[in-house]
């Protein structure tokens, strides 16, 4: 019996690691056959306690404890000191932005009803009917079909997200849902207290909502029956790059990076490194593929599980060149509202590109470090921090190649001279 039901669930929780994709299709019939109906409402304190017991952390990137975010919004919406109850809004965020991430798009197409269940349950638990699903147009069609299949989701507003890197950043989401451009704004005011139209706002990743829908049905103990104590449950990973079959997998929490890559057909010996966490992430050297996809395991590399993004870099590819291409892309993706993005990121990308291309000026690595330190922590959002993390990681993980480039060679192309001495 679960926390919310006075009778046992109609069906048992999925066994094994395939949970979010347990239904044999995206339609309501398949969804109900796999998971049974969701409870119509959930007592908020009970839901918060169960989410805390489950250990579910957000799957959008920041990894914040889910119950805490929900509790903050709920208490802002019902704060007696403000006298008036302020109608909260819940936004399901399916905008990945990140070019290497496919998990939310895949989930929205394969299991839209699970996401809608989570969205409606969370909205009900904080006493609002104001629910929004924000995602790129390529995913919204599947959601629209799912909404048509059920009465209870008719009030969910669907909002199209642009395909830009920062469109999924929480404040950009609120801007876009409010009718403005999908660009971040400053974080001075807490979203839980003053988000969309100044109202308490909860922006929750769509995978997180799908997990909530399962925890509400089958309980925290069931959720914890996969994963580890610190990385409970399952998580989706998007595997791409130099692998046989780029795709999205559901893996147990704390699985090794190598096991996720092996599932996608990456022979570990042919890799140079793996980018963990996407363009705002960090490199993991190929010798450390046994590292757990966990906060603790990845911390020494400056990485985190984040949104579950893994990009394999083959041994015949240059890590500095790949990093420079990413840094150049990231520098192009801000609205240049803040100094670090307007001035720092283009310069940072340019210096790293010169190093990658074989410019032998010995001051280049030091200049990359100086610029990275200059931009980090100085933007209104985390875009400069994430970019600085990526470039600093490239200098660390590819340190021997930095020396090779300064000597006119590249480890990815032995025997070939690169660049020119200056
Ligand atoms: S730090 Fe950069 S991306 Fe973030 S709000 Fe400022 S200009 Fe935009």
């Amino acid at each position: 019996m679960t926390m919310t039901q006075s009778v046992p669930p109609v069906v048992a929780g999925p066994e094994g690691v395939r949970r979010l994709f347990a239904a044999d299709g995206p339609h309501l019939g398949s969804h109900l056959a796999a998971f049974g109906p969701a409870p119509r409402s959930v007592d908020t304190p009970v839901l918060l306690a169960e989410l805390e017991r489950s250990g579910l952390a957000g799957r959008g990137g920041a990894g914040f404890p889910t119950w805490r975010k929900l509790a903050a919004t709920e208490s802002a919406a019902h704060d007696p000191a403000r006298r008036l109850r302020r109608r909260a809004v819940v936004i399901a965020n399916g905008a990945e932005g990140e070019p290497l991430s496919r998990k939310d798009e895949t989930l929205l197409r394969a299991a839209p009803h699970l996401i809608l269940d989570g969205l409606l349950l969370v909205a009900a638990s904080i006493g609002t009917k104001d629910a929004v699903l924000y995602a790129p147009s390529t995913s919204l069609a599947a959601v629209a079909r799912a909404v048509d299949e059920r009465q209870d989701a008719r009030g969910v507003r669907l909002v199209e997200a642009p395909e830009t890197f920062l469109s999924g950043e929480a404040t950009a989401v609120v801007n876009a849902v409010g009718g403005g451009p999908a660009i971040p704004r400053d974080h001075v005011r807490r979203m839980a207290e003053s988000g969309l139209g100044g109202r308490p706002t909860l922006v929750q990743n769509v995978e997180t909502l799908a997990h909530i829908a399962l925890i509400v049905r089958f309980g925290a103990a069931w959720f914890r029956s996969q994963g580890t104590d610190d990385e409970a449950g399952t998580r989706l990973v998007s595997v791409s790059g130099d692998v046989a079959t780029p795709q999205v997998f559901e893996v147990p929490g704390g699985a090794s990076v190598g096991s996720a890559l092996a599932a996608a057909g990456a022979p570990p010996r042919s890799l140079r490194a793996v980018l963990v966490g996407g363009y705002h992430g960090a490199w993991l050297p190929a010798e450390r593929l046994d590292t757990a996809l966990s906060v603790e395991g990845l911390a020494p590399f400056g990485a985190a599980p984040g949104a579950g993004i893994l990009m394999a870099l083959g041994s015949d590819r240059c890590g500095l060149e790949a990093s420079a291409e990413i840094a150049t892309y990231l520098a192009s993706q801000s609205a240049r509202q803040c100094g670090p993005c307007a001035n720092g990121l283009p310069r940072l990308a340019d210096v790293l590109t010169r190093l990658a291309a074989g410019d032998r000026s010995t001051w280049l690595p030091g200049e990359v470090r100086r610029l990275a330190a200059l931009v980090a922590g100085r933007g209104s959002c985390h875009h400069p921090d994430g970019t600085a993390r990526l470039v600093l990681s490239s200098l660390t993980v590819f340190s021997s190649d930095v020396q090779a480039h300064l000597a006119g060679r590249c480890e990815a192309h032995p025997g070939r001279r690169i660049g020119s001495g200056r």
Side-chain angles (χ1 to χ4, degrees):
M1 197 174 298
T2 71
M3 56 166 182
T4 55
Q5 295 165 310
S6 55
V7 293
V10 176
V11 299
E15 290 180 8
V17 79
R18 195 174 168 85
R19 294 175 162 185
L20 298 172
F21 296 136
D24 63 10
H27 299 293
L28 187 59
S30 302
H31 169 73
L32 292 175
F35 306 116
R40 289 201 173 160
S41 64
V42 185
D43 191 32
T44 309
V46 177
L47 175 61
L48 290 174
E50 198 71 1
L51 288 178
E52 186 175 5
R53 269 194 291 276
S54 76
L56 175 63
R59 302 295 201 240
F64 204 67
T66 302
W67 75 271
R68 273 191 206 275
K69 251 172 107 168
L70 179 56
T73 314
E74 202 276 335
S75 89
H78 300 102
D79 182 357
R82 294 173 198 266
R83 297 208 179 159
L84 285 174
R85 279 178 51 151
R86 298 184 307 151
R87 196 160 49 91
V89 56
V90 182
I91 303 172
N93 184 7
E96 293 167 281
E98 163 76 51
L100 301 177
S101 184
R102 289 281 176 273
K103 74 174 181 76
D104 292 340
E105 176 189 354
T106 305
L107 189 65
L108 281 159
R109 289 182 186 184
H113 287 290
L114 215 44
I115 295 163
L116 288 171
D117 284 351
L119 174 61
L120 294 170
L121 282 162
V122 166
S125 78
I126 55 177
T128 183
K129 292 188 170 166
D130 208 345
V132 178
L133 196 146
Y134 171 80
S137 60
T138 47
S139 306
L140 279 186
V143 182
R145 280 194 294 275
V147 166
D148 279 347
E149 287 187 304
R150 52 197 282 178
Q151 285 292 331
D152 61 347
R154 294 285 158 87
V156 174
R157 186 154 68 97
L158 305 186
V159 177
E160 184 177 333
E163 305 252 15
T164 56
F165 186 78
L166 291 166
S167 64
E169 198 272 349
T171 60
V173 171
V174 168
N175 273 344
V177 170
I183 56 175
R185 63 178 189 187
D186 68 52
H187 284 239
V188 173
R189 287 182 302 176
R190 289 177 66 221
M191 179 88 63
E193 289 165 5
S194 181
L196 186 66
R199 293 156 52 198
T201 301
L202 177 64
V203 178
Q204 197 64 273
N205 169 260
V206 292
E207 183 193 338
T208 312
L209 290 167
H211 284 297
I212 291 173
L214 293 178
I215 292 167
V216 165
R217 283 175 168 89
F218 307 119
W222 169 85
F223 183 73
R224 283 189 165 280
S225 66
Q226 288 286 337
T228 63
D229 284 352
D230 293 337
E231 301 287 338
T234 60
R235 67 160 53 246
L236 298 180
V237 292
S238 306
V239 183
S240 65
D242 296 322
V243 294
T245 322
Q247 56 187 291
V248 172
F249 296 97
E250 189 166 6
V251 301
S256 73
V257 171
S259 67
L261 291 175
R269 273 195 296 277
S270 71
L271 295 185
R272 176 172 302 279
V274 179
L275 182 61
V276 180
Y279 284 6
H280 276 173
W283 292 100
L284 185 72
E287 316 81 77
R288 299 303 308 273
L289 295 186
D290 58 340
T291 302
L293 197 54
S294 68
V295 172
E296 192 181 2
L298 293 168
F301 304 95
I309 299 165
L310 301 174
M311 187 195 77
L313 188 77
S315 54
D316 59 346
R317 295 190 55 211
C318 174
L320 293 174
E321 198 173 87
S323 303
E325 283 170 9
I326 295 170
T328 301
Y329 168 82
L330 292 174
S332 75
Q333 287 296 302
S334 85
R336 304 200 173 185
Q337 308 165 98
C338 312
C341 285
N343 308 311
L345 297 193
R347 175 82 182 135
L348 184 58
D350 178 57
V351 175
L352 188 60
T353 299
R354 285 176 63 179
L355 183 62
D359 184 330
R360 295 179 213 166
S361 306
T362 53
W363 52 269
L364 289 173
E367 181 66 356
V368 170
R369 289 194 180 87
R370 188 185 76 81
L371 290 166
L374 211 59
V375 298
R378 295 216 166 85
S380 284
C381 77
H382 297 305
H383 186 51
D385 313 26
T387 309
R389 176 164 48 244
L390 182 275
V391 298
L392 289 175
S393 163
S394 73
L395 293 191
T396 303
V397 172
F398 307 119
S399 59
S400 60
D401 213 12
V402 169
Q403 296 312 313
H405 276 235
L406 291 175
R409 293 179 284 103
C410 174
E411 290 181 349
H413 308 291
R416 191 193 300 173
R417 300 294 291 176
I418 61 165
S420 58
R422 260 176 256 183

